[in-house]
Every structure is written in structure tokens, then in C-alpha cells.
Amino acid sequence: MDKKIGITLSGGAIRGVAHIGVLKALEEHGISPDYVAGASAGSLVGCLYAAGYSPKEILEVFKDTSIFSLFSVGAPKLGITDLSYIDKRVKELIPENTFESLKKPFFASVTNLTTGDFEVIGEGELAQVVVASSSIPILFKAQSIGEHLYVDGGVLNNLPIEPIRPISDVLIGVNVSPIREIKTFDNLMELGFRTLDLVTWSNVEPRLEKCDVVIEPGATDFAFFELSKAQEIHDIGYQATLSQIDKIGKVLGREIKHSVPLSDGLGQKDSRLTQKKEENDETTPNPQEPKLSPLRRFSKKIGDFFRNLFN
């Protein structure tokens, strides 16, 4: 009898694309997790995988996302910007918009600001939970669900194992933000994200110890929102998993199938992934304007917002 496999995917912003490479490598070798959990970026990858999208299709979703579609700056009450784009995309890709409609059991961690505790949710409306799980405090607006206010699940539980550890014979933990030494910080944003990494590591470490297999792709050199590096980050996750594939086979107690071609989908091929998106002035730079890097254009946008706010 095959062992039941659970996989839990940590948060880490764009580094979360490494999860897609991990899933691709596993699928290619005949390893398909039965249960999926995730925090923040891991919740977005996890819900799409649990819905039946292939790693290839999920990667296309991330490549089709620009930094400008993520950031829609408004009055900074509960956060500088919101994640309405993520909400919209999840509802487009999973029209049923419920946990119960997914092909695999899926759970997402969120931080409840009202109670001061974390929750791992696996039922009810899907998009609002994924958005809440991905809402980095201050940067993204806190999300209201019922009478409570929620932010990024990674704040208190960046590697949710609670619902799937008891039902998994083998649990794979994927942490895309392992701590390494950083000697210099170039700006306030780097300092802030380093602080967030340290906070989340404190709740990741004890949970990794309860996993049977730990995969830590070396994607820490990438900034939180380097969306243009999606393929490179994906490949890092893929290679990190290949390096442990025989070990995973031993833990599973079965012979690993090598060089199995990856199918286009896990039972679902959705043409919406290939539909042409409407042009958006916010996401398409004027060809007459000087070309800036995504990070510099985002910084300019934030700067313009605060200048307009206080003038």
C-alpha cells in the first residue's frame, strides 16, 4: 500500500516560485503529494496545484504577473496596497472558489490579528484566505474575514504542518527562505525583509524538525519581488529536489521512476491560462519613457504616492 504524502510550502514572496520547481521534480519521478498546505506565496502555489494545475501551468501564472499588477497604491490605512489582483486571479482560475472544490485537500495558514494567534484553514471560501495568507503586514492591506482581521500566515506559522502531519505517512517540508549571513544592507526595504525572514524562521525551524524530508532551495539571493527571475528561481527549486530524489524514494520505501516526462496537467488543462489579458496602462510602460527596472519603477510609484499624499 502506497504511503500517503503531505507537502507543506513556506512563504517567501517571489522565492515561492521555487515550490513550482519542487513540484515539477516530484511529479516527474512519480511522486504526487496527497495533501498540500502552504503559507503566503506557498498558499498561492499550493491552491493552484491542489486545483489540478500542473507545475508548468502554475509557472505560467507567475510569469504572466508583473509587479505593477500586484501593487495598487491607495490611502495607507491597513496597508500601503492590496492584493486585489491575486483575489481576481484565484477566482478566475478556480471559479468554484472553495476549498471543497479542489482536487486535493489543501490548507492555508493565516495570522489572526484580532485574536493574536494563527489559523490553518481548509474549508470555505478560497480566494479571501489565500489573499490573507499572502498579505505581508504594512505593505499589503490586512484582510477582513467575518469579524476578524488577518495578515500573512508566515508571521506566526510559515510552514503549516498541523493539519497534514497526522494524516501523512511522509511529510515533505519546503522552506524557500533559510537563514544565511548577510553582511551589508543597501536600503530600508532589504532591512525590513531581513527582519521578516528572521521572524518567520523562528516558527519554521521547529516545524522542519517534524518533517520527514526537508528541501531548502537556495533562492535567498533574490529580492522579494523579482518577478522577472521566476524561471531562474523555479529551476533552483527543481535542482534542489533532484538532488534529494533518491533519499525521498528511500523514505517512501519505493523505487523512484527516473526521467518520467511531465504531463501538461494533473487532470485539468485550462485555456484561461493562455487567454490574452487586457492592456493596462498601469502595467505597460510608455515606450517613450525611460526604461526602469521593476524595483526602481515600483519605488518611484511609492515615492509619487507619498509626495501626492503630503502635498
Side-chain angles (χ1 to χ4, degrees):
M1 185 174 179
D2 287 341
K3 294 181 178 180
K4 293 294 184 179
I5 305 170
I7 190 167
T8 178
L9 311 173
S10 78
I14 191 59
R15 302 168 191 166
V17 174
H19 293 311
I20 307 172
V22 171
L23 293 170
K24 177 184 178 184
L26 292 175
E27 288 285 339
E28 284 184 347
H29 292 82
I31 302 169
S32 181
D34 301 286
Y35 312 111
V36 186
S40 200
S43 73
L44 179 55
V45 173
C47 81
L48 294 177
Y49 181 69
Y53 286 98
S54 70
K56 178 181 177 181
E57 291 171 323
I58 301 170
L59 181 59
E60 288 176 3
V61 172
F62 276 80
K63 285 184 173 181
D64 197 36
T65 302
S66 77
I67 194 170
F68 307 103
S69 58
L70 287 178
F71 294 94
S72 176
V73 178
K77 183 179 180 181
L78 298 176
I80 294 174
T81 184
D82 61 32
L83 285 175
S84 56
Y85 176 81
I86 299 298
D87 181 79
K88 175 184 175 183
R89 287 298 277 157
V90 170
K91 290 176 180 176
E92 287 175 349
L93 297 169
I94 310 172
E96 300 85 357
N97 192 31
T98 65
F99 283 85
E100 291 79 6
S101 68
L102 301 175
K103 299 179 183 299
K104 297 172 183 281
F106 168 68
F107 305 87
S109 69
V110 292
T111 298
N112 189 325
L113 292 179
T114 306
T115 64
D117 202 356
F118 73 83
E119 299 175 18
V120 184
I121 301 175
E123 60 184 16
E125 185 177 331
L126 180 64
Q128 66 177 3
V129 174
V130 172
V131 169
S133 182
S134 305
S135 296
I136 299 173
I138 309 301
L139 183 59
F140 296 119
K141 292 179 181 177
Q143 301 297 305
S144 295
I145 301 178
E147 298 180 352
H148 292 187
L149 206 59
Y150 293 87
V151 293
D152 197 305
V155 174
L156 294 179
N157 188 349
N158 201 39
L159 196 78
I161 65 171
E162 287 75 8
I164 61 175
R165 175 68 279 185
I167 57 178
S168 300
D169 297 308
V170 174
L171 180 59
I172 301 172
V174 188
N175 175 34
V176 298
S177 297
I179 297 301
R180 62 180 178 83
E181 182 179 356
I182 299 178
K183 295 183 178 180
T184 61
F185 297 92
D186 295 329
N187 53 56
L188 186 60
M189 185 175 290
E190 287 186 3
L191 187 64
F193 286 136
R194 172 62 168 181
T195 302
L196 183 60
D197 277 344
L198 294 175
V199 170
T200 58
W201 173 245
S202 67
N203 67 65
V204 167
E205 187 176 20
R207 290 180 169 89
L208 284 176
E209 294 174 357
K210 297 179 181 179
C211 295
D212 301 296
V213 176
V214 173
I215 301 173
E216 292 189 299
T220 53
D221 287 337
F222 295 92
F224 263 48
F225 299 107
E226 281 195 274
L227 294 172
S228 62
K229 302 291 188 180
Q231 183 65 57
E232 189 175 344
I233 297 170
H234 163 278
D235 293 347
I236 290 173
Y238 180 77
Q239 293 298 330
T241 307
L242 288 184
S243 69
Q244 295 200 56
I245 208 70
D246 289 327
K247 174 185 176 181
I248 296 171
K250 290 180 181 179
V251 174
L252 291 173
R254 59 167 141 152
E255 186 177 351
I256 291 295
K257 303 173 184 178
H258 288 276
S259 301
V260 176
L262 184 65
S263 63
D264 286 332
L266 304 174
Q268 175 177 328
K269 182 76 172 177
D270 199 314
S271 61
R272 283 167 297 190
L273 289 177
T274 60
Q275 289 180 351
K276 183 177 180 181
K277 296 197 307 180
E278 294 182 356
E279 294 292 332
N280 187 313
D281 291 338
E282 195 74 8
T283 62
T284 306
N286 186 332
Q288 302 301 319
E289 295 177 354
K291 188 174 182 180
L292 301 176
S293 69
L295 185 59
R296 289 192 64 188
R297 290 180 64 201
F298 170 61
S299 299
K300 181 178 182 299
K301 187 174 182 179
I302 293 294
D304 290 343
F305 163 73
F306 282 110
R307 278 193 292 274
N308 293 333
L309 180 66
F310 294 111
N311 282 344

